[in-house]
Amino acid sequence: MTTGLIPGGQPPDPRPTGALPQQRREPAGNAAQHVENRSRSSVITARAAASFEPVGRSVASARSFVRDTLQGWGFADIVDDAVVLTSELVTNAVVHAGTSADVLCLRSDEGVRIEVADRYPEREIPLQGAAINMGSPDREGGRGLQLCAALAGRWGVEYIPTHKTVWFQLDLPARAVGTRTAGPALPSDLLPLADSRVRVAVVQVDRTGHIAAWNEDAEDLFGYPAEQVVGKPLTDLAAWPHTPGTSTGIAEALRLSRWEGSYGIRAATGRVTPVYASHLRVRDTAGEPSTVCLLVRDHERAVLQTPLRGPASDTSSGSEGQSTDPFEVFIGSPAPDDLDGLLQRTVERARDMLDGDSAFLLLATDDETELEVRASTGLPSARQRFARVPVEAGPGRYGSARMPAVHDDLTAVPGAVPLLNGTGMRSVVTVPLKVEGRLTGSLGVAAEAPARYSNEEALRLQFAADRIALAVESARLGELERLRRGSLSFLVEASDLLAGTLDRDQTLALMAQMTVPTLATWCAVYTIADQASEPYLSYVLHEDEELIDGIKSLLSKVPAPDPVPTPGARVWTAPGEVAHQAALRSSMRSLGLSGSPTRQVTPGIGPTLATASAVGGETVVLPLVARNRVIGMLTLGKPTDEHFRQEILELAEDLSRRAALALDNARLYSERTAISQSLQRSLLPPELPEIDGVEVEVIYRAAGEGNEVGGDFYDVFPIRDGAYGFAIGDVCGTGPNAAAVTGLARHALRLLAREGLTGPTVLERLNSAILDEGARSRFLTLLYGEMRPQEDGSAELKVVCAGHPLPLRLRQDGTVEPAAEPQPLLGVIEDLELYEQTVTLDPGDVLLCVTDGVTERREGARMLGDDGLADVLTTCTGLTAGAVAARIMRAVERFASDAPSDDMAILAMRVPGPHKD
């Protein structure tokens, strides 16, 4: 869809140039009048255009586009008519003609003109003045022009060979300042009941939503003095919404030109005071807008509530003979824009119209096999909201949904209207809501007394249902489209969040936080470690944090649901039953009554009444299936007497599939990480031996996240009495492949050295072992030596340096020199001829051995190198072996700011000097 908006000015002609002369086709009998109306010049103040593809969902998109455009222009009074007409005309274009549709909205001082054009490739241009056959109103299609004739002030059809444009104009209703509605004189006993003094709180709210004025009655009603609330947002005090079915938020209501409805104000005592409010948007002499809010107690709403509009008795008011819209008579003006608000207004008006005690409205599901409770008034509780009732005849089914029905006494026909079971209602009248012959819902009014309704009331209610059916269906489709878009956005965001972590505990927390409160009031996640394990309660979350512990305690005493792999949500009644029994026992104990329920509750559960209420509603379980295995269950719950909508359960099922895969990925990652870390730790020496007369210190850093061992390795181990072997090496590469050769080299060195072999022989045999690995072999640089402390305090070392960076010897006078000569590295050629060199460390001397990760540390083009390492080592005179190794590592880390890309190992050995007294 493409849209455009051009404020002000005359719009460009959207029709192509160079085409055949346009011909206009007007309805027969009104052509002269329409021509006269079209000839008037009006200033176009805004223009909005959109194009819609020839697909079914474009009809809903066109409705949303027109609704949003007209509401943005402030034309809420004509939105419904415009949406209905646009829906019919766009349907003709994209469904029947099979072409894209162009919608153009033009705003003027008089009203709104909307044009809908299709692009049918071939079209016969009708003769001017030819008679028009509107067709039968019983046909499934072709009624767009009939609706235009019935609802629009002016309309017409314009043809060219490639386009047909149907246009209609809706005039703004005249609302003269000071016009009011008067009612008849009534006896005193019929007047609304109020307190001895009616207090009307006057609250003025500025354009930012902050309170600017607060009168004395507001202080009396709510307990706040003016100086305490002026300057604060009204949303801080408003408990919104108070009336069920109201979905317009307080912030949105304050921006509307007029609004009436119920909500709550949090009083100074902390309690919520239900109020009925009338909002009027005004502006001062400087043009600054603000909202004046008049509030009374909710039971005194008659003081402010606008009476229903009746048929206009004054025909001279300039209405041009048009009668009041029956829809507006029944619903009132302005009609709610949201579906819940429209349905709630509908049941309230239906109840008042037939003087009933309650009313209800059910909407049909997409397959029209069930009805879903969407609005009710006067019933004991909202426990049936979103509950579903099958339509077909049979026990426990709603058999009267497809035609009007009157029941004089429900006690004689139990189950005729399942919604009213146990409510005390005796008589009821129900009528269907139909659009184009399809059942879209059912509207009913009930009374506590029997035989209250007759066929006359059924006809009146059916007439009202016919008036609102199209508006309800239009609002329902709009809501469904919003739900689908919202669901898609929700799943995309959920997938991104779940994919962003491989931590199991964090994945569990994300699952719960995405579910509560978006999909459910509370949730619990059970996990299954393996097929032989029982489900374990891993996580519990409630939107009220104070109830989490109580729910967790309750669920821990209830057997976990069966891990059934069948997809979809299934009802789990155990938590609600146990919670109900626990609440009953608690109440009986508090009353001092003896006895207990027949079915005993497990001792020690002891949930509070609040916890019992929290889990007393519908509870469903969805399996968490990943890689053809049930790895857990996601449990969703509602508070007492609440049900899940089918759309919410379908969305939860999609979420459970994504969450199961993320949870299983986190499990696999944790297991493999634990295995990897265990294997890596096995490649490191368990601990360094204590050597009399020699200090030994090692620092090791493996490159790469999560690696403990790489291609560099070290070892210090005893060979025989008084002799110790030491080694430091570097396998080509990093990571697991290099670590495998590391393990081979370290363990082979220990075995060969303890066989009594000389250093060159040990390395030659190790070279053969590496070459035997074949394609898996890697070349290895290795510094190996044997150390034997002497009685005079020195240490004798026999060293072989096979391709490794040369060890450096630091003397007490600060001089640094290599302690060995370079020889061929291992893992390249078969026949090696190596030799060992003898080095004596005098007291105070240090032998430093490193891998090339230290000497090849880089910062841009600079490299630390052997000379840089020797310069650092000269500053270590007099330091212990541990201090020497630490200073070398600090110098390496400070040399470059980037993280090391190669493994690093530092082995420092020092012969302590003589003690000074």
Side-chain angles (χ1 to χ4, degrees):
M1 182 187 76
T2 58
T3 63
L5 179 64
I6 305 174
Q10 188 73 19
D13 190 348
R15 291 171 288 276
T17 60
L20 294 177
Q22 300 176 7
Q23 299 188 30
R24 182 168 59 250
R25 183 175 184 176
E26 302 288 350
N30 294 325
Q33 178 184 354
H34 290 163
V35 171
E36 178 185 354
N37 290 336
R38 292 278 285 119
S39 64
R40 301 175 185 172
S41 61
S42 59
V43 176
I44 303 301
T45 58
R47 171 185 181 269
S51 297
F52 301 93
E53 297 298 324
V55 292
R57 63 176 179 272
S58 294
V59 179
S61 301
R63 287 195 296 263
S64 300
F65 164 69
V66 172
R67 182 180 296 277
D68 294 343
T69 299
L70 268 59
Q71 286 179 343
W73 290 347
F75 292 166
D77 293 329
I78 60 175
V79 164
D80 290 326
D81 288 346
V83 168
V84 169
L85 295 178
T86 303
S87 179
E88 287 290 330
L89 298 179
V90 173
T91 300
N92 290 340
V94 302
V95 176
H96 300 303
T99 74
S100 59
D102 299 327
V103 180
L104 175 66
C105 300
L106 303 175
R107 183 182 70 182
S108 66
D109 297 334
E110 299 176 357
V112 173
R113 173 186 168 103
I114 297 179
E115 300 180 359
V116 179
D118 63 34
R119 303 176 184 178
Y120 198 73
E122 296 180 0
R123 189 180 305 281
E124 179 182 355
I125 302 177
L127 298 177
Q128 180 70 22
I132 296 178
N133 180 14
M134 287 285 192
S136 170
D138 295 329
R139 294 178 55 195
E140 288 297 323
R143 291 181 290 193
L145 300 185
Q146 287 181 300
L147 289 175
C148 288
L151 300 179
R154 293 185 291 276
W155 67 281
V157 185
E158 298 177 354
Y159 283 95
I160 62 173
T162 59
H163 286 70
K164 181 187 76 174
T165 300
V166 181
W167 63 269
F168 61 88
Q169 181 162 331
L170 299 174
D171 297 328
L172 294 177
R175 292 187 176 180
V177 177
T179 300
R180 295 294 183 267
T181 302
L186 295 176
S188 299
D189 57 343
L190 297 181
L191 296 176
L193 183 65
D195 294 340
S196 57
R197 176 192 170 193
V198 177
R199 290 180 170 82
V200 180
V202 180
V203 181
Q204 191 156 5
V205 182
D206 62 19
R207 70 188 308 166
T208 64
H210 293 75
I211 299 173
W214 183 271
N215 72 341
E216 294 181 358
D217 280 358
E219 181 176 348
D220 291 338
L221 283 174
F222 311 121
Y224 299 104
E227 58 268 18
Q228 187 175 347
V229 295
V230 170
K232 291 186 177 180
L234 182 61
T235 53
D236 288 354
L237 305 180
W240 188 274
H242 179 70
T243 301
T246 303
S247 63
T248 302
I250 182 65
E252 292 81 0
L254 291 175
R255 290 195 292 269
L256 300 177
S257 59
R258 285 182 181 273
W259 185 89
E260 287 183 23
S262 297
Y263 52 92
I265 294 293
R266 294 185 180 88
T269 60
R271 299 176 63 88
V272 175
T273 301
V275 298
Y276 188 84
S278 175
H279 296 176
L280 175 65
R281 190 79 162 162
V282 299
R283 58 176 177 170
D284 58 18
T285 55
E288 184 69 14
S290 62
T291 303
V292 177
C293 307
L294 306 180
L295 302 93
V296 297
R297 291 186 177 92
D298 193 63
H299 65 272
E300 298 170 339
R301 61 195 304 170
V303 177
L304 299 181
Q305 191 168 16
T306 302
L308 294 178
R309 292 188 179 184
S313 58
D314 185 4
T315 57
S316 62
S317 60
S319 62
E320 298 182 359
Q322 294 183 356
S323 61
T324 306
D325 182 10
F327 171 81
E328 191 174 274
V329 171
F330 181 68
I331 294 297
S333 180
D337 294 330
D338 61 286
L339 178 60
D340 286 337
L342 177 60
L343 299 182
Q344 192 65 29
R345 179 89 63 93
T346 298
V347 296
E348 291 174 356
R349 296 295 191 268
R351 179 197 59 187
D352 297 341
M353 183 179 71
L354 298 187
D355 193 22
D357 297 312
S358 65
F360 54 89
L361 192 149
L362 303 90
L363 290 185
T365 56
D366 291 340
D367 57 7
E368 300 178 6
T369 60
E370 292 181 309
L371 294 175
E372 185 179 58
V373 180
R374 291 301 302 270
S376 63
T377 182
L379 294 179
S381 70
R383 69 184 186 280
Q384 298 291 348
R385 183 167 172 81
F386 301 128
R388 293 192 169 196
V389 182
V391 177
E392 291 79 4
R397 296 176 179 266
Y398 198 175
S400 59
R402 299 188 183 276
M403 61 184 66
V406 178
H407 297 276
D408 290 334
D409 194 344
L410 290 177
T411 59
V413 192
V417 184
L419 175 63
L420 300 180
N421 292 343
T423 62
M425 299 297 161
R426 298 283 297 277
S427 55
V428 61
V429 52
T430 61
V431 296
L433 277 69
K434 293 185 178 181
V435 176
E436 296 182 351
R438 295 184 301 103
L439 178 69
T440 60
S442 178
L443 176 64
V445 178
E448 296 178 354
R452 281 283 299 273
Y453 303 113
S454 63
N455 289 340
E456 182 180 353
E457 283 79 10
L459 291 175
R460 292 175 58 196
L461 189 61
Q462 185 66 71
F463 180 80
D466 292 341
R467 303 285 78 75
I468 59 99
L470 189 59
V472 169
E473 179 67 3
S474 175
R476 187 187 73 86
L477 293 176
E479 180 195 65
L480 184 61
E481 185 67 20
R482 289 192 296 272
L483 283 175
R484 288 173 178 170
R485 290 198 300 266
S487 299
L488 182 59
S489 300
F490 173 78
L491 291 175
V492 169
E493 181 179 358
S495 299
D496 289 342
L497 290 174
L498 292 171
T501 178
L502 288 172
D503 182 82
R504 176 183 175 276
D505 293 337
Q506 188 174 1
T507 302
L508 290 172
L510 284 174
M511 290 170 56
Q513 291 166 7
M514 287 184 294
T515 303
V516 177
T518 305
L519 305 181
T521 306
W522 64 272
C523 85
V525 182
Y526 291 85
T527 56
I528 302 175
D530 52 59
Q531 295 181 354
S533 301
E534 294 294 327
Y536 175 75
L537 182 62
S538 299
Y539 203 92
V540 176
L541 183 65
H542 191 281
E543 60 183 6
D544 185 352
E545 294 182 357
E546 296 180 356
L547 299 178
I548 294 178
D549 291 338
I551 295 176
K552 187 181 298 183
S553 175
L554 175 67
L555 294 178
S556 65
K557 304 299 182 180
V558 177
D562 295 332
V564 179
T566 305
R570 69 181 192 274
V571 177
W572 186 32
T573 59
E577 293 174 354
V578 174
H580 175 73
Q581 295 170 13
L584 180 60
R585 291 185 52 160
S586 177
S587 299
M588 294 180 67
R589 285 196 300 268
S590 66
L591 295 174
L593 300 177
S594 60
S596 61
T598 302
R599 182 179 177 183
Q600 298 295 326
V601 181
T602 304
I605 293 181
T608 63
L609 295 179
T611 302
S613 176
V615 300
E618 188 175 38
T619 302
V620 297
V621 178
L622 298 103
L624 298 174
V625 181
R627 298 175 175 89
N628 298 321
R629 187 175 73 86
V630 180
I631 64 170
M633 287 87 72
L634 176 63
T635 303
L636 307 180
K638 287 281 189 180
T640 299
D641 294 337
E642 288 197 19
H643 296 264
F644 286 98
R645 296 187 61 181
Q646 187 63 28
E647 293 83 357
I648 295 299
L649 294 180
E650 292 172 356
L651 182 59
E653 186 178 355
D654 286 339
L655 175 64
S656 67
R657 287 195 291 266
R658 291 164 169 79
L661 187 59
L663 185 61
D664 199 46
N665 288 339
R667 178 187 63 83
L668 293 175
Y669 178 78
S670 299
E671 291 179 356
R672 293 180 181 181
T673 299
I675 294 172
S676 175
Q677 291 176 347
S678 177
L679 291 175
Q680 290 185 63
R681 283 192 294 268
S682 70
L683 301 179
L684 294 175
E687 59 184 8
L688 296 178
E690 294 287 341
I691 302 177
D692 293 336
V694 179
E695 299 174 359
V696 180
E697 183 64 30
V698 173
I699 296 180
Y700 184 84
R701 297 286 189 273
E705 183 179 357
N707 291 332
E708 295 186 18
V709 177
D712 291 7
F713 69 96
Y714 67 92
D715 201 359
V716 180
F717 54 92
I719 299 177
R720 49 188 173 272
D721 293 342
Y724 296 87
F726 65 92
I728 183 169
D730 184 1
V731 179
C732 174
T734 60
N737 293 330
V741 179
T742 296
L744 170 65
R746 194 178 71 81
H747 292 293
L749 281 176
R750 286 198 173 205
L751 291 174
L752 295 173
R754 288 171 178 172
E755 291 294 325
L757 303 176
T758 63
T761 304
V762 168
L763 267 60
E764 289 169 1
R765 293 193 178 185
L766 175 60
N767 179 67
S768 299
I770 295 174
L771 292 175
D772 289 343
E773 291 293 310
R776 296 181 298 176
S777 65
R778 291 168 175 260
F779 63 80
L780 166 68
T781 67
L782 179 64
L783 172 66
Y784 172 74
E786 295 182 3
M787 174 177 56
R788 186 184 298 274
Q790 303 296 314
E791 294 181 357
D792 60 358
S794 63
E796 182 184 78
L797 283 73
K798 295 181 179 180
V799 182
V800 180
C801 186
H804 198 77
L806 300 179
L808 298 180
R809 176 181 181 179
L810 171 66
R811 296 184 180 275
Q812 279 191 308
D813 58 3
T815 60
V816 175
E817 59 185 6
E821 296 177 356
Q823 299 184 58
L825 51 79
L826 308 181
V828 179
I829 58 178
E830 294 184 359
D831 298 327
L832 284 180
E833 294 184 3
L834 303 176
Y835 59 90
E836 63 183 9
Q837 297 174 270
T838 302
V839 179
T840 301
L841 294 181
D842 297 326
D845 288 355
V846 175
L847 184 70
L848 177 66
C849 310
V850 300
T851 58
D852 60 2
V854 174
T855 56
E856 295 180 2
R857 179 71 164 152
R858 294 181 180 275
E859 174 68 23
R862 299 185 307 117
M863 185 172 70
L864 179 63
D866 296 334
D867 294 338
L869 179 63
D871 292 340
V872 176
L873 185 59
T874 56
T875 66
C876 299
T877 304
L879 299 181
T880 64
V884 171
R887 178 169 293 187
I888 298 297
M889 179 56 70
R890 284 198 303 270
V892 172
E893 292 175 344
R894 292 174 181 175
F895 186 80
S897 58
D898 295 338
S901 59
D902 194 6
D903 304 328
M904 292 187 295
I906 299 175
L907 171 62
M909 295 182 291
R910 177 177 179 269
V911 178
H915 294 285
K916 297 180 179 179
D917 297 332

